[in-house]
C-alpha cells in the first residue's frame, strides 16, 4: 500500500491509502480517520472515510493547510499498526431480485447499457461466468458483504463482497448514467454493491429491490427513529432472496411499523477472514441465524 | 408573520449557510450557492449573516406578506417589485402587510437571495434550515416551494436601516468573462501534461445540466489519460477510480470529456477521477453562472488560494462596516 496525500482546494485533504480496493486498505483508512477524530485537531470540520481512501475537510482560517497535512501524516504509522478487529453488526436484508420496478427502469434506459439485448442480471451473470441468472443470484446472496463506505447520496452503502478476489462479482457502470433509479434498488458497479437510499440518478447495474428503507428524513420508521440513516462503515450485510408475496408483506409491515430487521452483534477480525474466508463467513452466518 | 407563496418561481428553496458534519453519511452541506450574496442580503435587513433566506433560480417567486417587513435581494440581477413598483437590488426596502413581492426578468447572474427581516423560520434539521431536495431534508418540507405554501418568519432582532445599500464595488459577482481558479491535484497525475495544459487554455461553456449538485461544462478538448492497468475495484474506464470522497468544488471528468464541478448539494463520493478543486473563494461565482455562459479555468497554487479567500472575507467585512456606519 502506498499512501498518497493531496489537497482538494484550500478546504480539503484527500488521502488515498491504496489505488486498488482491499479490506486491508479499508481498515487502514478507518483507523486513520478514527485517529483524526480522537486527536481533535483544531479546524477539522468533516471526517469522511471511503473504501480505500478518506477525506478531511478543514477550516484554513483556523489551521494552515500544511500544518493540517503534517498532523495527518503523523498519524499514519500508528494507524498502520492498529488492530484490525471490529465490534460490529450483521444485518439480513431481504431482496426481491429481478423485480418489475428495476426491470421497467432498466428497459427505459436500455440504450445507455453495454448490452441492450438483455437485462442487467443477464449481463452480470454472463460476464462473470455464471450459467444462468439463478446461479448468479445465488452467488450474490450467498456470501456476506462488508459496508466499506456510506455516501454518494444520503445513507447509501457501498458494499464489498466477502469472498476471494477471484470470485468477486465485477461489472462496469452504465455507459452513460441513468437519470432515474427506483428507491431501494440493489445495484452493482466495479466490485461494489450498493443500495440506492433515495430515487435519483445512478450508473450501477440494477439487480433487484429491497422492501427495507435505509433512510428516513422524517424518522418515523421504527428502526430509524434514533437516526435517519441506517448504515455505517463496518456493517456486514447478508442478502436474503424473497419472492413477490414476501416483498409485499414486508412493505406492508414497514408501513404499519411492524418491520423488524434481523440484526445481530458480531466481532469481525480481518486476520481471521484473510486466513479462511469460508470459515469466517460460516461463523458470521451462524451468529445471524443462530440461537 | 408568514409569507404566502402565490407563485414559486422555477426552483425556490430555503437556504442558510448549510449543514456541516454529515458529509461522511452522504448528506451534503447544502446552503446558498452564493454564500457571499446570501450573507449580504441578511446583513441588509438586520439579520445575522447565516439566517435562512430564499434562493430563487432564474425566475423569481411571487409572495404575499402577512406583516410589514424589511426585504433585500442580492446576487443575480433579478429586479424585485412591490405591488408592481420596481425596487433596487443589494438595497433594503419595505414590504407592508398585504403587499406582494414579485420579480421582473433576470438581467444577469443566476441566483437571487431574498432576505426578510427576522429570517425564514422553518424547523432546524441537523443544525440547519437549508433544503436538501434529493434527500427530502430541511427547508420547507424538504422540497422547493410550491404555490400555496406558507412560510413562517422569525422575530426581528435588529432594526434594519431603511434604504441601506451595499456599495457597487462590494457587489461581488462573476462578471462578463468569468475565470474560476483551480488548485490542481487529487488525480491530476492521471492525465497527460498536454491535456492538463489544454484544460486551462480552453474556453468552456456551462451545460444545461447545471444545478445545486454540480455544474457541467462542455466545449473544451477531451482529456488524454496516462495509460495504466486499472486498479482492482475501479471499473474499466480510464476515468474510473475506486469510489472515493468528492471534495466540494472538485472537478470530475467522466470519460475525460465534460468536467463537472460539484457544488453545495454535492454527491459525497463516487467512482470518477478528479483533476483538481475550485478554490473556496470562487465557489460563490459558480452559483451565478447561467447555462451557455462561457468560463475559463485558471491554475493557482495554495498561497494564491488562501490570499483569494482572505480577499473575499475582507470584502464581506467591508459590507458589514458599510452597513453598520
Amino acid at each position: 500500500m502506498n499512501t498518497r496525500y493531496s489537497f482538494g482546494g484550500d478546504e480539503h485533504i484527500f488521502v488515498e491509502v491504496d489505488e486498488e480496493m482491499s479490506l486491508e486498505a479499508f481498515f487502514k483508512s478507518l483507523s486513520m480517520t478514527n485517529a483524526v477524530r480522537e486527536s481533535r485537531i483544531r479546524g477539522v470540520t468533516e471526517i469522511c472515510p471511503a473504501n480505500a481512501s478518506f477525506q478531511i475537510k478543514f477550516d484554513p482560517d483556523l489551521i494552515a493547510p500544511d500544518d493540517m497535512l503534517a498532523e495527518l501524516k503523523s498519524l499514519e504509522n500508528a494507524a498502520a499498526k492498529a488492530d484490525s478487529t471490529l465490534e460490529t453488526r450483521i444485518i439480513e436484508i431481504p431482496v426481491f431480485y429481478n423485480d418489475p420496478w428495476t426491470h421497467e427502469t432498466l428497459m427505459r434506459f436500455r440504450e445507455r447499457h453495454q448490452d441492450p439485448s438483455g437485462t442487467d442480471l443477464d449481463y452480470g451473470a454472463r460476464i462473470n461466468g455464471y450459467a444462468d441468472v439463478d446461479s448468479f443470484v445465488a452467488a450474490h446472496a450467498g456470501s456476506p458483504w462488508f459496508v466499506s463506505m456510506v455516501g454518494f447520496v444520503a445513507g447509501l452503502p457501498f458494499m464489498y463482497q466477502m469472498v476471494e478476489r477471484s470470485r468477486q462479482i465485477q461489472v462496469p457502470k452504465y455507459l452513460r448514467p441513468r437519470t432515474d433509479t427506483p428507491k431501494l434498488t440493489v445495484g452493482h458497479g466495479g466490485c461494489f454493491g450498493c443500495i440506492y437510499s433515495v430515487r435519483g440518478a445512478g450508473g450501477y447495474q440494477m439487480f433487484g429491490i429491497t422492501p427495507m428503507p435505509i433512510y428516513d428524513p422524517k424518522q418515523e420508521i421504527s428502526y430509524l427513529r434514533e437516526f435517519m440513516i441506517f448504515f455505517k462503515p463496518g456493517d456486514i450485510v447478508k442478502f436474503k432472496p424473497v419472492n413477490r408475496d414476501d416483498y409485499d408483506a414486508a412493505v406492508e409491515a414497514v408501513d404499519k411499523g411492524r418491520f423488524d430487521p434481523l440484526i445481530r452483534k458480531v466481532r469481525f477480525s480481518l486476520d481471521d477472514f484473510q486466513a479462511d474466508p469460508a470459515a469466517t463467513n460460516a461463523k458470521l452466518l451462524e451468529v445471524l441465524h443462530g440461537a | 408573520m408568514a409569507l404566502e407563496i402565490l407563485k414559486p418561481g422555477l426552483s425556490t428553496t430555503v437556504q442558510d449557510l448549510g449543514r456541516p458534519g454529515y458529509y461522511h453519511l452522504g448528506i451534503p452541506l447544502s446552503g446558498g450557492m452564493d454564500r457571499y450574496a446570501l450573507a449580504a442580503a441578511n446583513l441588509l435587513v438586520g439579520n445575522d449573516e447565516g439566517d435562512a433566506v430564499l434562493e430563487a433560480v432564474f425566475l423569481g417567486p411571487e409572495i404575499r406578506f402577512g406583516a410589514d417587513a424589511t426585504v433585500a435581494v442580492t446576487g443575480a440581477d433579478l429586479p424585485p417589485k412591490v405591488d408592481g413598483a420596481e425596487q433596487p437590488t443589494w438595497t433594503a426596502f419595505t414590504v407592508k402587510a398585504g403587499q406582494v413581492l414579485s420579480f421582473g426578468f433576470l438581467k444577469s447572474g443566476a441566483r437571487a437571495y431574498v432576505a426578510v427581516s427576522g429570517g425564514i423560520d422553518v424547523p432546524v434539521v441537523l443544525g440547519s434550515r437549508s433544503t436538501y431536495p434529493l434527500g427530502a431534508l430541511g427547508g420547507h418540507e424538504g422540497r422547493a416551494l410550491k404555490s400555496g405554501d406558507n412560510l413562517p418568519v422569525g422575530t426581528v432582532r435588529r432594526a434594519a436601516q431603511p434604504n441601506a445599500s451595499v456599495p457597487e464595488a462590494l457587489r461581488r459577482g462573476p462578471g462578463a468573462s468569468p475565470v474560476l481558479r483551480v488548485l490542481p491535484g487529487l488525480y491530476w497525475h492521471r492525465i497527460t501534461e498536454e491535456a492538463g495544459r489544454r484544460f486551462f487554455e480552453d474556453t468552456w461553456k456551462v451545460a444545461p445540466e447545471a444545478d445545486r449538485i454540480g455544474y457541467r461544462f462542455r466545449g473544451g478538448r477531451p482529456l488524454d489519460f496516462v495509460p495504466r492497468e486499472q486498479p482492482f475495484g475501479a471499473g474499466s474506464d480510464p476515468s474510473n477510480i475506486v469510489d472515493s470522497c468528492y471534495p466540494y468544488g472538485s472537478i470530475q471528468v467522466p470519460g475525460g470529456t465534460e468536467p463537472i464541478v460539484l457544488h453545495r448539494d454535492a454527491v459525497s463520493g463516487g467512482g470518477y477521477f478528479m483533476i483538481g478543486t475550485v478554490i473556496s473563494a470562487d465557489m460563490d461565482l459558480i452559483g451565478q453562472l447561467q447555462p451557455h455562459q462561457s468560463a475559463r479555468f485558471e491554475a493557482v497554487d495554495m498561497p494564491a488560494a488562501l490570499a483569494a479567500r482572505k480577499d473575499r472575507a475582507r470584502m464581506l467585512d467591508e459590507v458589514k462596516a458599510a452597513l453598520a456606519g
Side-chain angles (χ1 to χ4, degrees):
Chain A
M1 280 187 274
N2 193 5
T3 305
R4 189 170 67 81
Y5 296 81
S6 179
F7 287 111
D10 47 323
E11 292 185 336
H12 309 83
I13 293 182
F14 174 75
V15 184
E16 183 185 66
V17 172
D18 200 354
E19 266 202 319
E20 63 171 35
M21 179 57 195
S22 66
L23 284 177
E24 293 94 311
F26 166 81
F27 270 91
K28 186 172 170 188
S29 159
L30 187 70
S31 33
M32 281 189 80
T33 52
N34 286 339
V36 174
R37 197 172 299 111
E38 283 155 20
S39 63
R40 301 185 168 276
I41 305 164
R42 189 175 137 83
V44 170
T45 59
E46 306 260 9
I47 302 170
C48 304
N51 295 303
S53 60
F54 67 94
Q55 176 179 296
I56 303 298
K57 186 165 190 273
F58 63 96
D59 181 348
D61 301 333
L62 297 179
I63 182 167
D66 284 336
D67 293 342
M68 188 71 228
L69 183 62
E71 292 271 10
L72 292 184
K73 284 184 171 171
S74 75
L75 299 171
E76 189 185 337
N77 282 336
K81 293 185 203 104
D83 185 21
S84 47
T85 60
L86 212 54
E87 298 297 335
T88 182
R89 54 183 188 163
I90 183 166
I91 307 120
E92 185 175 80
I93 306 271
V95 181
F96 181 15
Y97 289 94
N98 213 358
D99 65 285
W101 303 282
T102 58
H103 187 267
E104 185 277 327
T105 308
L106 66 89
M107 293 312 287
R108 195 149 36 98
F109 291 98
R110 220 60 210 138
E111 88 289 356
R112 301 186 184 208
H113 195 271
Q114 288 80 0
D115 181 8
S117 67
T119 66
D120 293 8
L121 274 170
D122 293 335
Y123 177 71
R126 182 163 54 76
I127 68 165
N128 283 282
Y130 289 90
D132 51 44
V133 165
D134 287 347
S135 52
F136 181 68
V137 166
H140 190 270
S143 72
W145 297 70
F146 192 93
V147 176
S148 50
M149 177 171 171
V150 176
F152 179 60
V153 290
L156 177 149
F158 288 83
M159 295 169 290
Y160 189 69
Q161 195 180 10
M162 293 170 65
V163 292
E164 293 83 356
R165 185 176 280 190
S166 59
R167 288 175 53 209
Q168 281 187 316
I169 294 167
Q170 285 199 82
V171 289
K173 293 161 194 171
Y174 270 46
L175 295 175
R176 285 183 296 127
R178 297 174 304 273
T179 53
D180 192 16
T181 309
K183 184 176 158 183
L184 297 176
T185 291
V186 174
H188 201 96
C191 71
F192 295 104
C194 84
I195 301 171
Y196 284 88
S197 50
V198 297
R199 183 177 178 180
Y204 277 26
Q205 309 277 337
M206 297 183 291
F207 296 159
I209 200 161
T210 174
M212 180 181 152
I214 56 170
Y215 170 67
D216 177 19
K218 293 189 172 146
Q219 293 179 259
E220 289 166 354
I221 293 168
S222 56
Y223 54 91
L224 294 172
R225 273 189 202 134
E226 275 182 36
F227 193 60
M228 59 184 73
I229 284 172
F230 182 77
F231 282 110
K232 53 183 178 294
D235 280 341
I236 296 172
V237 166
K238 174 70 170 57
F239 296 121
K240 179 191 178 191
V242 297
N243 60 27
R244 177 67 192 257
D245 289 345
D246 296 337
Y247 174 85
D248 288 343
V251 167
E252 199 191 332
V254 168
D255 287 346
K256 297 205 165 137
R258 288 191 273 105
F259 187 83
D260 192 14
L262 180 56
I263 304 173
R264 294 280 183 269
K265 284 187 177 165
V266 75
R267 182 186 176 82
F268 176 80
S269 153
L270 179 61
D271 293 341
D272 291 355
F273 179 78
Q274 309 283 38
D276 193 344
T280 306
N281 287 347
K283 275 187 200 154
L284 290 171
L285 297 184
E286 243 169 62
V287 174
L288 183 67
H289 298 298
Chain B
M1 144 78 164
L3 303 177
E4 184 190 354
I5 306 301
L6 304 177
K7 287 183 188 165
L10 194 62
S11 175
T12 303
T13 51
V14 177
Q15 302 291 348
D16 56 18
L17 290 178
R19 183 177 286 117
Y22 302 94
Y23 202 41
H24 65 291
L25 297 172
I27 298 178
L29 183 64
S30 302
M33 284 187 74
D34 182 349
R35 293 163 66 100
Y36 182 91
L38 183 150
N42 272 321
L43 293 169
L44 279 165
V45 301
N47 289 350
D48 293 336
E49 66 177 270
D51 281 343
V53 307
L54 299 180
E55 179 185 86
V57 189
F58 306 139
L59 193 68
E62 227 175 271
I63 304 167
R64 181 182 291 131
F65 279 62
D68 295 2
T70 307
V71 174
V73 178
T74 61
D77 194 357
L78 188 70
K81 296 175 182 174
V82 177
D83 278 352
E86 193 164 321
Q87 308 291 323
T89 55
W90 296 90
T91 303
F93 56 88
T94 303
V95 182
K96 294 207 175 302
Q99 285 191 314
V100 172
L101 174 69
S102 64
F103 293 85
F105 289 112
L106 180 69
K107 290 180 187 162
S108 67
R111 286 175 176 78
Y113 293 85
V114 185
V116 178
S117 50
I120 308 296
D121 196 20
V122 294
V124 173
V125 181
L126 302 179
S128 165
R129 294 186 169 87
S130 288
T131 316
Y132 171 46
L134 193 56
L137 190 74
H140 180 71
E141 297 178 3
R143 57 165 171 79
L145 299 182
K146 288 182 188 167
S147 302
D149 285 344
N150 279 289
L151 291 181
V153 173
T155 318
V156 176
R157 275 153 291 170
R158 240 171 271 117
Q161 296 187 32
N163 307 320
S165 191
V166 173
E168 287 278 353
L170 298 177
R171 300 179 182 184
R172 191 168 183 260
S177 43
V179 175
L180 303 172
R181 288 167 288 186
V182 172
L183 188 71
L186 303 172
Y187 290 85
W188 175 256
H189 58 281
R190 290 290 301 118
I191 56 171
T192 63
E193 209 181 310
E194 172 71 8
R197 197 176 50 73
R198 289 193 313 232
F199 176 77
F200 290 111
E201 271 176 15
D202 287 352
T203 298
W204 297 86
K205 260 194 167 66
V206 177
E209 302 92 339
D211 58 24
R212 294 187 43 85
I213 299 172
Y215 259 59
R216 186 185 283 259
F217 293 83
R218 56 179 60 140
R221 287 166 285 183
L223 304 179
D224 297 320
F225 290 90
V226 175
R228 72 165 175 183
E229 191 182 319
Q230 282 294 96
F232 177 80
S236 49
D237 191 89
S239 69
N240 289 155
I241 56 169
V242 169
D243 294 57
S244 78
C245 300
Y246 288 153
Y248 294 103
S250 62
I251 307 169
Q252 55 178 273
V253 196
T257 56
E258 295 182 343
I260 300 168
V261 181
L262 291 180
H263 220 277
R264 312 284 186 212
D265 284 359
V267 288
S268 69
Y272 290 112
F273 91 118
M274 301 151 275
I275 58 172
T277 309
V278 173
I279 66 172
S280 63
D282 287 356
M283 289 292 281
D284 295 329
L285 307 181
I286 295 176
Q288 296 299 355
L289 298 180
Q290 296 179 359
H292 310 300
Q293 190 171 358
S294 295
R296 275 187 48 249
F297 296 99
E298 180 186 297
V300 295
D301 59 11
M302 184 64 86
L306 294 175
R309 183 182 175 90
K310 280 212 169 68
D311 287 345
R312 178 193 175 279
R314 196 178 305 122
M315 269 179 91
L316 197 56
D317 285 343
E318 286 173 30
V319 171
K320 282 177 205 166
L323 295 178

